[in-house]
Amino acid sequence: MEIWSHEILSVIGPSNSGKTTFLRTLNRLSDLHTAFRMSGAVEMDKRDIREMDVEILRRKIGMVFALPLPLPLSIFENVAYGIRMQGVRNKHELEQRIEEALRQGYLWDEVKDRLDESAFKLSGGQQQRLCIARTLAVQPEVILFDEPCSGLDPVSTAKVEDAMVELKKKYTIVLVTNNVKQAARVGDKTAFFLSGELVELDKTDRIFTAPQDRRTDDYISGKFG
Amino acid sequence: MSHPHRTQNIAFFFLLLATLLIVVPVGLIVVIIVQKGLPAINGQFLLDIPRQGMRAGGIFPAIVGTVYLVTGAIIFALPIGLLAAIYLSEYSRENMLTRLIKLAIVNLAGVPSVVYGLFGLALFVVFFKFGASILSGSLTLGIMILPIIITASREALESVPSSFREVSLSLGASKWQTIRHIVLPNAIPGILTGTILGLGRAAGETAPILFTVAAFYLPRLPHSIFDQAMALPYHLYVISTQVPNVDEKTRYGTAFVLLALVLVMNIIAVVIRTKFRKKKKW
Ligand SMILES: Nc1ncnc2c1ncn2[C@@H]1O[C@H](COP(=O)(O)OP(=O)(O)O)[C@@H](O)[C@H]1O
Ligand SMILES: [Mg+2]
């Protein structure tokens, strides 16, 4: 399959269909598991990702996890983490990039007076937006979202979705979602996964109006999953 | 199943009995030693050298010797133990060799301390020609507490949630940066606890220092790490069994100081642990 820059690819499918595994293959987090085996190849800008420096690859391909996972640091340090790991020490530059990232994550106004507080004091939705801001701060080209709203209430979900739609302008996004409507709302293309296999991949409106595969049709009309 | 209550009561009784059987002796030891030892404690006892063949004066050189030995042991064992733990829990793959290493470490923890003493004698005193010295004693004690430190550190490292590591890596941090900035800071309380428990063990053991450092009677402070030294546990053994007519007060006073030292270290470990547990954020 091909993913073009500045588009949102939605990935849908029942649980355990390999959506997370697919994402973790893209940024090579799967390498952490000794049992992981992969066939085929993933290329980014025509280069096999396994030949790239893994740290650089992961800077280019950011990831937001299913559950909000702040690091046990302050709000500021959470966003600063990725930048610091690249060796940026300059305080002014740090502050600037952190403010920018928090603004892009629609969180700045809520946290600008409490940047030194522990990130765990934020609400679930705020934590997830913090995780988005943290990913943005590294200035990636691609962002992988793994069911970013699964743990959130509808209001927080709406806020996170807003942020994503805005991000689409600057980044390439792969959005795994358990919410078929969300895929329809934000995706340019949609992929349907089942049992570890890609069943169908097409423009989002085609998937939802004229799916080629029976199983896709059954899934989006809610017959299983 | 006609008397669930009675079986429960019987079980409860035996559980209580078992608990009491543990608590009572510990309590008695503390009470007796405090009761008989506390009256001996005063400035002279703590800060004077032993006099009249250890029947009078104080135990200052033994206290200092124990502090030196414990410090030396930790300077040696903490870095090595921590590095080994990091390697084992973060880098090593599960294979025959690492399984063997882990097994060896577990078994090392069960080796009787007198065996460490003999080992230290053969390796440090004789082979490396350090002689009976603080250096030899510290290294021997260090080797003895290595398994404690490695095991505690490994547990502490492995208790840091793997999701933190994945987040850190996904942000482009290298594996070492992840260990250095995320894993280690969150594992420090556990590592410290293990280290302090190791310290307590090192302070209290007699056998490992018997052949490697301990001086029977050396009424002065050691001059260097190549000097022999007195140490509390060995001094206690000497005045209890080797020197006739030592006051009961003096003997229990020495025991009291040793017990207090070990107890204080354990209390510090507990305090650190509870403090960090309260602060723990996940
Ligand atoms: N292509 C595949 N081949 C073999 N096993 C797979 C494949 N894709 C996923 N799995 C396995 O299926 C399980 C669920 O995958 P996961 O990616 O977590 O699903 P999802 O995120 O869709 O719920 C995992 O244990 C994973 O190892
Ligand atoms: Mg998943």
Side-chain angles (χ1 to χ4, degrees), chain B residues 124-141:
Chain B
F124 302 122
V125 179
V126 177
F127 185 75
F128 284 131
K129 300 195 172 65
F130 294 151
S133 63
I134 294 183
L135 183 61
S136 298
S138 293
L139 291 173
T140 308
L141 287 173

Side-chain angles (χ1 to χ4, degrees), chain B residues 22 70 87 95-96 107 111 156-157 203 252 271:
Chain B
I22 302 165
V70 166
Y87 172 74
N95 57 31
M96 258 319 261
N107 280 305
V111 171
L157 293 169
Y252 278 94
V271 168

Side-chain angles (χ1 to χ4, degrees), chain B residues 69 114-141 143 207-215 225-229:
Chain B
L69 285 173
V114 67
V115 177
Y116 283 103
L118 273 176
F119 172 75
L121 174 69
L123 187 67
F124 302 122
V125 179
V126 177
F127 185 75
F128 284 131
K129 300 195 172 65
F130 294 151
S133 63
I134 294 183
L135 183 61
S136 298
S138 293
L139 291 173
T140 308
L141 287 173
I143 288 185
I209 57 174
L210 193 58
F211 320 118
T212 55
V213 50
I225 57 168
F226 297 104
D227 207 355
Q228 273 192 295

Side-chain angles (χ1 to χ4, degrees), chain A:
Chain A
M1 70 166 80
E2 287 188 333
I3 307 171
W4 296 97
S5 52
H6 300 283
E7 78 173 6
I8 297 189
L9 168 71
S10 307
V11 178
I12 55 172
S15 53
N16 283 324
S17 57
K19 308 184 295 293
T20 302
T21 308
F22 168 64
L23 283 192
R24 294 166 63 97
T25 306
L26 297 184
N27 71 350
R28 287 181 56 189
L29 264 192
S30 305
D31 294 3
L32 301 183
H33 294 276
T34 41
F36 176 72
R37 294 289 173 278
M38 153 178 177
S39 57
V42 180
E43 293 185 352
M44 182 181 191
D45 301 331
K46 301 224 159 58
R47 279 186 65 197
D48 191 314
I49 58 167
R50 278 169 299 181
E51 278 154 24
M52 294 168 68
D53 194 19
V54 68
E55 284 88 31
I56 293 182
L57 172 77
R58 292 192 186 130
R59 271 175 221 164
K60 287 190 182 172
I61 307 187
M63 180 161 188
V64 177
F65 296 80
L67 294 171
L69 285 173
L71 295 170
L73 302 166
S74 71
I75 295 172
F76 184 92
E77 286 303 327
N78 258 281
V79 187
Y81 186 78
I83 313 176
R84 280 196 200 280
M85 293 307 116
Q86 295 176 22
V88 175
R89 293 270 177 280
N90 184 312
K91 195 155 187 284
H92 183 68
E93 185 186 346
L94 273 177
E95 282 172 355
Q96 218 170 9
R97 285 177 65 175
I98 284 161
E99 176 172 345
E100 192 189 316
L102 283 169
R103 280 191 195 281
Q104 284 187 49
Y106 286 95
L107 194 60
W108 175 251
D109 291 327
E110 290 162 60
V111 300
K112 63 178 179 226
D113 301 319
R114 45 191 288 213
L115 291 173
D116 291 330
E117 275 179 34
S118 160
F120 289 90
K121 289 197 178 157
L122 297 172
S123 74
Q126 288 173 326
Q127 287 185 9
Q128 193 61 303
R129 277 177 285 144
L130 178 72
C131 294
I132 295 176
R134 178 176 71 188
T135 305
L136 296 177
V138 186
Q139 297 173 336
E141 295 167 21
V142 182
I143 307 177
L144 313 174
F145 286 93
D146 188 4
E147 310 194 3
C149 304
S150 56
L152 303 182
D153 61 86
V155 178
S156 309
T157 301
K159 283 189 181 164
V160 172
E161 265 186 36
D162 281 350
M164 275 191 298
V165 171
E166 195 60 32
L167 293 175
K168 171 179 160 176
K169 292 173 192 159
K170 287 176 77 177
Y171 305 92
T172 306
I173 291 178
V174 181
L175 167 68
V176 165
T177 174
N178 51 355
N179 179 338
V180 176
K181 290 196 189 106
Q182 190 174 51
R185 273 199 298 270
V186 299
D188 299 308
K189 283 197 296 200
T190 297
F192 174 60
F193 275 59
L194 189 64
S195 311
E197 280 177 29
L198 173 66
V199 173
E200 195 167 351
L201 166 69
D202 212 329
K203 295 236 166 59
T204 297
D205 44 3
R206 298 252 333 238
I207 289 272
F208 282 91
T209 53
Q212 301 297 303
D213 197 292
R214 264 302 298 274
R215 293 167 293 178
T216 317
D217 196 13
D218 287 350
Y219 180 71
I220 56 183
S221 56
K223 291 213 180 90
F224 71 96

Side-chain angles (χ1 to χ4, degrees), chain B residues 90-225:
Chain B
E90 305 290 328
Y91 284 99
S92 73
R93 301 244 152 172
E94 189 72 28
N95 57 31
M96 258 319 261
L97 183 69
T98 53
R99 261 202 300 269
L100 209 68
I101 293 176
K102 287 173 189 171
L103 191 72
I105 291 169
V106 172
N107 280 305
L108 222 48
V111 171
S113 55
V114 67
V115 177
Y116 283 103
L118 273 176
F119 172 75
L121 174 69
L123 187 67
F124 302 122
V125 179
V126 177
F127 185 75
F128 284 131
K129 300 195 172 65
F130 294 151
S133 63
I134 294 183
L135 183 61
S136 298
S138 293
L139 291 173
T140 308
L141 287 173
I143 288 185
M144 183 188 73
I145 62 173
L146 257 179
I148 304 176
I149 292 181
I150 295 178
T151 308
S153 304
R154 266 185 60 203
E155 274 168 19
L157 293 169
E158 278 159 20
S159 74
V160 176
S162 63
S163 58
F164 288 172
R165 296 163 217 252
E166 293 189 349
V167 166
S168 169
L169 292 171
S170 80
L171 290 168
S174 68
K175 185 158 184 169
W176 171 245
Q177 284 177 322
T178 301
I179 293 171
R180 164 77 188 71
H181 295 279
I182 299 296
V183 181
L184 268 184
N186 288 293
I188 279 179
I191 295 170
L192 276 184
T193 311
T195 307
I196 295 171
L197 290 178
L199 280 182
R201 174 98 197 274
E205 284 285 350
T206 313
I209 57 174
L210 193 58
F211 320 118
T212 55
V213 50
F216 186 84
Y217 180 59
L218 191 71
R220 60 168 171 80
L221 295 186
H223 297 311
S224 78
I225 57 168

